Each structure stands twice: as C-alpha cells, then as structure tokens.
Amino acid sequence: MVTLVRTTQELNDIRSKETRPVGFVPTMGNLHQGHISLLERALTEYEVVYFSIFVNPKQFGPNEDFNRYPRTLEQDINLIEELTKRFPKKEVVVYSPKDPQEVFPESKNQNVSVLGLSTMLEGKIRPGHFDGVATVVYRLFELMKPTSAYFGLKDFQQYLVIRQMVKDLQMPIKIVGMPIIREAEGLALSSRNQYLSPEQKSTSLLISRTLKEITKTINNKRANLSQAQTFISTLLKDPNWNYLEMRDAETLSEDISHSKQITILAVYQMGTTRLLDNTQVEIE
Ligand code: AMP
C-alpha cells in the first residue's frame, strides 16, 4: 500500500501512530531504477518504508538547475506502486511536501555543516552544497525517525558526509550504502541524464570506461598506483574533467599511500550538465 502525504502535519500524524521500525529513502524525485533499488532494499528489510520526494532548494547554488530540475510526481508514484506490487504486505509512505516551507518553516535559521568532508572535491566546486544536503537530511531524519536510511554510492561523497553526520551527532540510524545502478553500456543512472543530447549521451560512456581502465591499471596493487596516477594526469588534458582523482575511500584524503580501499571520483562536464561517477578499488 502506498500513501502520499503533501504536508508535514499529515506526515507527523501518520508517523506518531507508527509503532514498527521504519526504513527511509530520501530522494529528489524523477525516479529511475537507481532510486527504486534503494526502495526495494528497504522493503526487503522493513514492513514500513518512508520515501521522500523533495527538491531541496538548500543544496542548489544560485546558478544551478533548481528551477528546471525535473518534477514528475505522478510518474514517480506509478513507479513506486509498480514495485510495491511485489511486496503486497508492506507499506510505503511517500512524503512529497507541496512547498519547501513544509520542510523548512524558518528556512534561514538552520544549518548543519559537516566540516572537512564538505569542502573538498564536489564541495569545492559547489560551495554550500553539502551543508544543504546535511541540513535537509538531518531535518528529514528528525521527521521520519528511521532505524535505517538508504543512500546510493553514486553520490559517494554525500554518503560519507551523511555517515559522518550520524556518527558525530550519535544519531541512532544505520546508514546503508547501495551500489550504483547503470545503463547496460555503463552510464550511471541520474535524473540529470535527460538533459543530454544523443551525441552527449554517447560521449558520456567514456566516464565509466575511464573508471574501468584506471581500476584495471591499479589491479588491486599498491605498486601500480603511481602508474595509475600518470595515466590520470594524461587524461586530465581533457578540460571537461571537473575532477578525476584517487582518494582514500574512508576519509577522502589525498594521501593514499597506506589506504586499503581507494575511491576514484570523477565528474565530467557535458555542456551545462555535470556527470558524477565513482568506483571503489581494494588495495592489497
Ligand atoms: P537524488 O534524487 O538524485 O537526490 O538521489 C536520491 C538517492 O538515490 C541518493 O542516495 C542517490 O545516491 C541515489 N541514486 C541516484 N542515482 C543512483 C544510481 N544510479 N544508483 C544508485 N543510487 C542512486
């Protein structure tokens, strides 16, 4: 059963009556199989799952795509209903606030900032972005009171920021990181992929291919990291890479000389669209 609520008052009414543990999936909507994979996992673990669809103004910069970000509530509900047919005994509560004021009645008064992790890489290019993310997720956690919350590793830095926030504030919430869902040819699914022209879409395959090539060069061996770094340096002659970097997968530190797991984080600029991808590599 899927219940749609459009106000925080309605949400609070439903949540206050719930006695079972709750799983939670936060999204900005325009759902695709990446989002659905998070919901599916949550439904396998919980009788009731709260699912938010909220395009959060706090995480967009002044010249970003907040206004044109795709909002497709009806289509999103259909996808959720389709999936829940496979879980006939489970319940999904979709919270899609009709106005940002439902989430932030006093918008300017709160800010949650996870220092360090939030100002590097994606946070350096998008100042304030991760404060916006942490602030909304904190607020949504407060409303949903989940036992577990599900995040895609597609947004790897976001996942680390949320994990750190929960740890630092001792919030009793398990953060579950879920694998990246890709198109058959490799492009990571994203609501922003629909901004791409057919030509851009075929060019965009180079992102996942590049990550695979670097992974192959490393071949899980520390001794190969310098060769991988040289390879990356040649790739960076293409100015469309906003960044393409190997970092420690726990801390995002640039020093990977002792890392057991590294992450290769990539953002490729395709016209006005920025495409994010990453992969994890174990180091022996
Ligand atoms: P968004 O609506 O883009 O804010 O994403 C909501 C959640 O879905 C985040 O935890 C994302 O990391 C996750 N997500 C988005 N795209 C994918 C994907 N291709 N595979 C797995 N998770 C994803």
Side-chain angles (χ1 to χ4, degrees):
M1 190 180 81
V2 180
T3 306
L4 173 64
V5 298
R6 305 297 314 268
T7 66
T8 299
Q9 181 63 55
E10 278 175 276
L11 175 72
N12 287 339
D13 286 349
I14 295 186
R15 182 64 186 91
S16 62
K17 293 188 190 103
E18 184 58 64
T19 53
R20 297 165 294 181
V22 161
F24 174 46
V25 180
T27 78
M28 297 204 299
N30 191 240
L31 304 183
H32 50 64
Q33 287 308 312
H35 302 110
I36 293 298
S37 72
L38 309 189
L39 178 57
E40 184 173 0
R41 169 77 179 268
L43 283 168
T44 62
E45 297 181 349
Y46 289 88
E47 297 300 309
V48 55
V49 174
Y50 282 59
F51 189 101
S52 63
I53 296 179
F54 176 53
V55 184
N56 168 33
K58 282 186 189 276
Q59 71 188 71
F60 288 81
N63 299 315
E64 294 182 358
D65 56 344
F66 175 71
N67 285 324
R68 73 168 179 145
Y69 197 86
R71 291 157 171 89
T72 52
L73 183 58
E74 216 178 289
Q75 180 188 312
D76 292 351
I77 298 291
N78 288 339
L79 270 181
I80 293 171
E81 279 182 336
E82 198 54 44
L83 175 74
T84 51
K85 281 186 192 150
R86 289 181 23 221
F87 299 87
K89 295 201 175 106
K90 309 253 167 148
E91 271 181 53
V92 180
V93 176
V94 179
Y95 173 59
S96 174
K98 57 181 171 47
D99 189 281
Q101 282 213 331
E102 291 290 331
V103 182
F104 299 117
E106 297 293 338
S107 171
K108 291 191 173 57
N109 292 352
Q110 319 85 30
N111 186 49
V112 178
S113 201
V114 178
L115 301 179
L117 278 177
S118 293
T119 46
M120 55 175 83
L121 296 161
E122 198 58 10
K124 201 166 173 181
I125 294 180
R126 303 180 69 187
H129 170 67
F130 287 116
D131 282 9
V133 169
T135 305
V136 77
V137 172
Y138 181 89
R139 175 75 181 126
L140 293 170
F141 281 178
E142 201 174 55
L143 293 170
M144 311 297 168
K145 300 176 191 65
T147 303
S148 297
Y150 300 82
F151 290 85
L153 297 180
K154 155 89 171 22
D155 301 284
F156 189 69
Q157 191 174 357
Q158 165 174 287
Y159 161 74
L160 291 183
V161 166
I162 299 303
R163 219 176 58 172
Q164 191 68 45
M165 175 183 83
V166 164
K167 187 168 175 240
D168 292 350
L169 299 176
Q170 297 180 308
M171 302 176 93
I173 301 170
K174 182 176 168 208
I175 303 300
V176 183
M178 296 289 294
I180 302 176
I181 305 295
R182 299 176 179 280
E183 289 188 0
E185 287 177 293
L187 178 64
L189 296 189
S190 163
S191 304
R192 290 186 168 103
N193 290 353
Q194 61 197 270
Y195 298 155
L196 303 174
S197 68
E199 291 79 9
Q200 288 176 323
K201 209 158 170 206
S202 84
T203 310
S204 69
L205 295 179
L206 79 89
I207 306 167
S208 56
R209 285 186 189 147
T210 300
L211 292 177
K212 273 197 174 153
E213 276 184 68
I214 301 170
T215 304
K216 213 167 130 198
T217 305
I218 300 170
N219 193 23
N220 304 103
K221 297 198 171 55
R222 195 171 306 281
N224 292 336
L225 286 175
S226 66
Q227 193 189 335
Q229 190 51 61
T230 309
F231 179 41
I232 289 173
S233 303
T234 59
L235 292 168
L236 286 173
K237 289 189 184 129
D238 175 351
N240 291 312
W241 291 106
N242 285 184
Y243 54 84
L244 175 61
E245 292 197 32
M246 296 187 288
R247 295 279 180 118
D248 182 88
E250 287 285 317
T251 61
L252 294 187
S253 164
E254 286 178 67
D255 179 4
I256 53 172
S257 52
H258 301 288
S259 300
K260 292 198 173 68
Q261 192 178 5
I262 63 161
T263 175
I264 313 166
L265 296 139
V267 174
Y268 196 83
Q269 185 85 36
M270 193 66 85
T272 53
T273 306
R274 302 175 63 251
L275 298 173
L276 277 75
D277 205 342
N278 69 81
T279 195
Q280 315 299 318
V281 186
E282 307 283 338
I283 305 292
E284 290 161 5

